[in-house]
Amino acid sequence: MHSNLWIFIWRRKLSFLLVVSGLVLLGLWTWAILIDTTTASTQPAAASSSSERQQQQQSTGYQQVHIIQKLIAQANRLLKAERLKDNAVEKSPSPVQRLGNVRFLRPTQAKKAPLPMSESYLFEEERLKILEQQQRQKNAGMEELNANAEDERMLSSAERQTQYEHELQRMGVPVVAGIGPDGPKPPAERLVHLDLKGAPPKLSFLKQLLPVLRALGATGLLIEYEDMFPYTGVLQPLAARNAYKEDELRDFLECAALHGLSVMPLVQTFGHMEYVLKLSGFEQLRELALSPQSICPSKPQSMALLEQMLSQVIELHLQCLGQATPASAVPTAPIRFTHIHIGCDEVQRMGECNTCRQRLRSELFLSHVVSLGHFIRRQWPQLGVVIWDDQLRSMSLSELQHSQIGNYVEPMVWVYASDIYRFIQPQLWDTYAKVFPGAWTASAFKGAFGESLMVPPLQHHLENNIRWLAVIAKEGGRFSKGLRGLALTGWQRYDHFAVLCELLPVGMPSLMTSLSTVSKGYFSTNPKDNELLRVLQCVFQPDSRRSGRPWLELHPNAHHSQLFSVCNYPGHMVFKYALRLFDKLAEIELYLQQTRDQSAWLSDYNVRHNFSSPLRVRELTARSPMLIEELRMMAREAQQLLWEVYDEYTVTEFVEQTIYPTIEALQRQLVTAESLLQRRTWPQRPLPLVLKVQEDLGLVMNQQPK
């Protein structure tokens, strides 16, 4: 009987422990309540203040919480110990035990059922009370946090700007005060300049650029046609032999409209008229017979020619808009054509012919521009007229106001340097604002830091564009209609007779970086927020947190960032080729300089006297044949790569301009070396002075060595 009772107790030991623990907890809880009630009743109400009662209740609450936490922890330890013991018994290998000849059979361990719901949540009420108490403590300081929220937001904004500028410095991006995520808005219009007077790209390539430019924030195109426009009739000689066809150009303009880009054509009408005045039959319109740079504004034939040129260009664009003077079919995608640019910059030869000398230079310029503006506004009143501003900078306010030029044109203020106020002082901005209701601005993404550069300095152009953002924000309020927008110029030649500067595909990294910056109003250091990375097709996702390096690195003396060498975009193959060619030409130039100017055996002195060491000469010129072959291979590679962007004339011009001069220099070195190697005997020293050197230097030699 007793054994059965102990067996029953052993099987229900866990339940008995839980019941005993519950009774103990109930007794302790009752005891705590009785103590609290007794203390409250014995304490006089008049002798205690409200603060003392609050402290006592808080102390009592803490004691209760401490006791409950202790009891819960002890109960949990007991439950855990019992369960571990039961698991160990169940895992015992043999349930049978022997003692001599007597065999004892251990009671069968039945599978334990889960705890009843009432026992599982025995302490749930106490746990909830503890959590409520902790939550009240956490919420105690919320009022103070809300009171300081505004100060913290101001501090975080300053910290964010500091962190932003620090990241710009790491990336090599110029830091301009006031330009950042919390800075001014971007300009309303962002135009991309296409200079077609040198290396005109195929229209198929330009079509590939349109979605890229639009994705980066461009709103329109500033197209400078020069001799690539398909002039007809009496103006047909003005068009180059490889000028665009009219139907192809119309298709391109409609494609630009499909991508939401406006078009502002640019026709030079004063200076930079070389492409017209160089031709036979137009030379009589020059300001000076010796220079085709500028047209004479005093000759009636000059205005007739310019009116015909403007009419053909405007009418073609209006046909794409469906508003041409003659009846024409409405295009599928009308272009946005609101302004025409008539140039008028860098008029170098003005007021020098016999007729123009009778008038002031400022009067000549202003009357010519007003006449052109009046003609355009009379024929096409819906169009605005834009001119470059550089010829206006030296004129007084009274001259500008008296001419009423502000009623006909708007200036496009251009500066390509980092210090914009050095060229456009605040008083000049004030003068412009008093004359013109609105104005435009112009920066550069290539073609501004060297007449024959191969790769544009990206950082310099980016700084120019960022500083223009600050100037636009500061000076735009002066004008009644504000500063309308910013044109990013990309010059291909400095004038019609100049050689090529940076090709458009080579300038794409600079264009994309500057365009995405001016479209956003600042340079975004976050790769996930910068439109530049959305356009680039990269084989990897830049992540500065993993590599420890910024995703874009620009340096004062670097032409490019590693980012543009591993990502794909229109023209990326030409850009990568230009970098390799630039490095190869720099290597060969250093090699030629060392062999000619720094060595002691291939100098000009050695050549003039035909006096040198054959062994040294062979050693110095050993690399030349290999370098010539490398350049020939790069010339053939250029022909293949550039063919996708340019016609054969541009490809030939680029190769002849960049590669062939270096090949010629290496060939001249080999010819010179061969002449030095022909000699087998040499004269005694001192060597006689060459007669031509004596004559050129004016030296008189009284004695010659025998």
Side-chain angles (χ1 to χ4, degrees), residues 396-408:
S396 64
L397 176 61
S398 59
E399 289 177 323
L400 295 173
Q401 290 178 334
H402 179 72
S403 68
Q404 297 184 352
I405 190 175
N407 297 330
Y408 297 95

Side-chain angles (χ1 to χ4, degrees), residues 539-559:
V539 296
F540 67 95
Q541 182 64 32
D543 190 350
S544 59
R545 294 172 298 179
R546 295 181 180 179
S547 63
R549 300 168 63 99
W551 59 271
L552 180 67
E553 290 185 283
L554 306 175
H555 305 286
N557 298 323
H559 288 301

Side-chain angles (χ1 to χ4, degrees), residues 468-513:
W468 262 120
L469 292 175
V471 172
I472 291 173
K474 182 178 181 180
E475 307 296 343
R478 297 177 182 266
F479 298 85
S480 60
K481 295 184 179 180
L483 292 174
R484 297 185 180 273
L486 177 69
L488 286 78
T489 62
W491 302 101
Q492 194 57 75
R493 300 186 198 273
Y494 275 40
D495 63 37
H496 185 78
F497 292 107
V499 297
L500 298 173
C501 49
E502 307 100 302
L503 297 178
L504 179 58
V506 183
M508 282 300 296
S510 177
L511 171 59
M512 292 189 296
T513 305

